[in-house]
Structure formats: C-alpha cells, structure tokens
Amino acid sequence: MGVSDPDCTHLSGRVFTASALRNLLPSHSVSGEPDLVLPRASEPVVEYHNPDLVPGMFPSLYPFGIGGFDDDTRPSPIAFQKQANYYFDLADRSFRYHRSYMFVVLNIFQRRIAHLHTHFTVRRAHFESLAKRLSSVSPHTLSRLADQLQKEHRYSNLSVDDQNALNLLNQVNTVAARIPGSQSAKMSVRNEIRSYFGFFGMPHIFFTCNPNATHSPIFQLMYGDDSVDLTQRYPCLVPARERAIRLARDPVAAADFFHFSVTCIFTHLFGWDFDCQSSTERGGILGHLEAFYGTNE
C-alpha cells in the first residue's frame, strides 16, 4: 500500500528537478541510450498518417479494415479527436462498450499533443551554445546531480561538472502542452481563472455541481432504456445494481448526461444563453450573469 501526492503540494522543487534528471537517463542500460524507447520489430509501425493502425488493433470494431484515422484519401480531412467522438456517438455502441478502445484512443491523442506541443525554449542569442553544451552532458553527470539535489546538498558542495550541468538547466525553460488531465492543463486553467479575476473582478459565488447519473431517469434514457417514461413524476427504474452496471459500462452516456445537466442548470436556473454567450433578458435566480468559468475534475 502506497501514498501518493497527486497535487504535488508536499514535494519540494528539488525533488521535481531530480525526477526530471532521472527521466533523461536510460532505465536498464549504461549505453547512454535515451530513456524513452518505443519497443518495435525490425520494421516499426507508423503511428502518424496510418489509417490501418487502429483497425489492425481492433479488428472486431473494424471488420472490413476501413474507417481508420488519418486517411489522406478522404476528400475532406477529419481531425483525430472529431473522428473519435463520431465513433462514440454512433447508434451502434460497440465502440463505447469496448473495454480498451476508449483508453487506447485517448492515449494516442495525449501522445500526439505531447509530441507536437512540448518543447524547450531558450534565448535566441544562446541557442547554438546551449544546444552543444546540452548534447555534451553525460548520463553519469545527470544521475549524480539528481542524487545530490534530492539529498538537499548545497550548491557549493557540487563538483564542477555538476555545477555546470545545473547552470545549463537553469537557462532552459520547458514549455508543456495542455495535455488533458496533466499538471500543465491545470496550470492553464488556473491562469485563465486569474485573468477572469483581473477583468471581471472577484466572483460572487462558487459552487460544485455533482449530478448523480446512477439514480437519474434521464441517464437511463440516454443509456438506451426506452421503457423509462419521463412524463411521470417518479418513473419506474431498474434496480440500483443494474443502474450502477449501466453507468460503468457506458461512460460516454455518463459524460453526455453531465454535459446536459450542467447546460440545463445554466440555461434554466441561471438564465445564460449559450448561443449568444451572454445572460438572457430575463436573467436567472442570481440576476443577470456577467461571466462565469466552469471546469470539470
């Protein structure tokens, strides 16, 4: 049994730096190879612009071997995320009921954001010199420096090579992408909220909305139970165990229910017009809203 700190509120900055340095080192070898190595055969499968990749991984979902992502033969190109959302909204719910398809697609989407939008930034005047110095730092130096930092050793106690490596890293900034669920995405949300404070002032109310899909007749209807009669005040539902199984089996319907519930709350309770992006003339129970910011956990 372990204890983790997902918000990283009890970790010092040196622990982060030491962990980052270790990630630059090879995990199981001393040959100096990078830590990020993708296992492959003699001919690796191309991940980008390969419409046969996902159909080959899930033949039961693509029985004819067509319909993959990044198909350049289409007259109109379709974005990866838009095509994935389309598959989850099909009347045939095989894609959303599959136990691993959703996670594999999300992983590919996150990897692409990380590959294309995470980079190092340095001052233009120092670019060439820093590039040469970065490539000259040995894995042994990085490993030793990571251990020294984690043990909270003083800067003066470091060797000359360790001091040079640390000074080099201080001149490099890491710009991370807004990967869904990552720490960088949380930081981006916090910055946007602070911007709202500066433009609109401090918010007057803060609330948390947790619509319960398990006991909601609307979710049962979204799941596909046509026997639910929403015209009744207390519709007849399946037993609680079956409702919980439905929620676990169809997370896409659960997400649709959450979005529908929040939209209804702001539309009918707070009087917000999403089409015009402003408060309605009548307003809501809090009067007329000037702005709001919402995010999901």
Side-chain angles (χ1 to χ4, degrees), residues 138-196:
S138 65
H140 178 68
T141 301
L142 294 177
S143 178
R144 186 175 61 247
L145 178 59
D147 294 334
Q148 297 289 339
L149 289 176
Q150 190 163 8
K151 295 177 181 178
E152 300 289 341
H153 284 188
R154 295 181 179 181
Y155 179 84
S156 58
N157 295 335
L158 301 177
S159 64
V160 177
D161 293 338
D162 294 345
Q163 291 181 4
N164 292 335
L166 184 59
N167 294 334
L168 181 62
L169 293 174
N170 289 334
Q171 301 179 47
V172 178
N173 296 321
T174 303
V175 179
R178 295 179 57 180
I179 303 174
S182 66
Q183 187 67 19
S184 60
K186 296 179 183 178
M187 294 297 297
S188 177
V189 169
R190 293 172 184 171
N191 293 334
E192 289 180 351
I193 294 176
R194 294 190 183 99
S195 300
Y196 266 56

Side-chain angles (χ1 to χ4, degrees), residues 261-281:
S261 301
V262 173
T263 302
C264 289
I265 289 175
F266 276 90
T267 301
H268 303 289
L269 198 61
F270 296 147
W272 183 264
D273 189 341
F274 284 93
D275 295 330
C276 299
Q277 296 295 314
S278 62
S279 182
T280 60
E281 296 182 1

Side-chain angles (χ1 to χ4, degrees), residues 173-225:
N173 296 321
T174 303
V175 179
R178 295 179 57 180
I179 303 174
S182 66
Q183 187 67 19
S184 60
K186 296 179 183 178
M187 294 297 297
S188 177
V189 169
R190 293 172 184 171
N191 293 334
E192 289 180 351
I193 294 176
R194 294 190 183 99
S195 300
Y196 266 56
F197 291 172
F199 189 83
F200 296 105
M202 294 296 293
H204 293 172
I205 187 175
F206 173 86
F207 78 98
T208 302
C209 178
N210 293 314
N212 193 333
T214 306
H215 306 297
S216 173
I218 299 178
F219 169 76
Q220 307 305 321
L221 193 63
M222 289 181 172
Y223 178 81
D225 189 353

Side-chain angles (χ1 to χ4, degrees), residues 13 32 54 56 64-66 93 103 111 116 132 135 139 167-168 175-176 194 234 238-239 259 279:
V54 178
F64 297 102
I66 59 176
R93 304 194 175 193
F103 300 99
R111 281 163 49 86
L116 300 177
K132 294 180 180 178
S135 59
N167 294 334
L168 181 62
V175 179
R194 294 190 183 99
Y234 300 105
V238 296
H259 182 267
S279 182

Side-chain angles (χ1 to χ4, degrees), residues 81-97 101-102 222 250-257 259:
Q81 184 178 7
K82 186 175 182 180
Q83 185 174 352
N85 292 336
Y86 169 78
Y87 286 142
F88 291 134
D89 291 334
L90 288 175
D92 181 6
R93 304 194 175 193
S94 300
F95 289 90
R96 61 169 67 183
Y97 288 167
Y101 177 81
M102 182 182 304
M222 289 181 172
D250 195 347
V252 176
D256 292 339
F257 168 75
H259 182 267

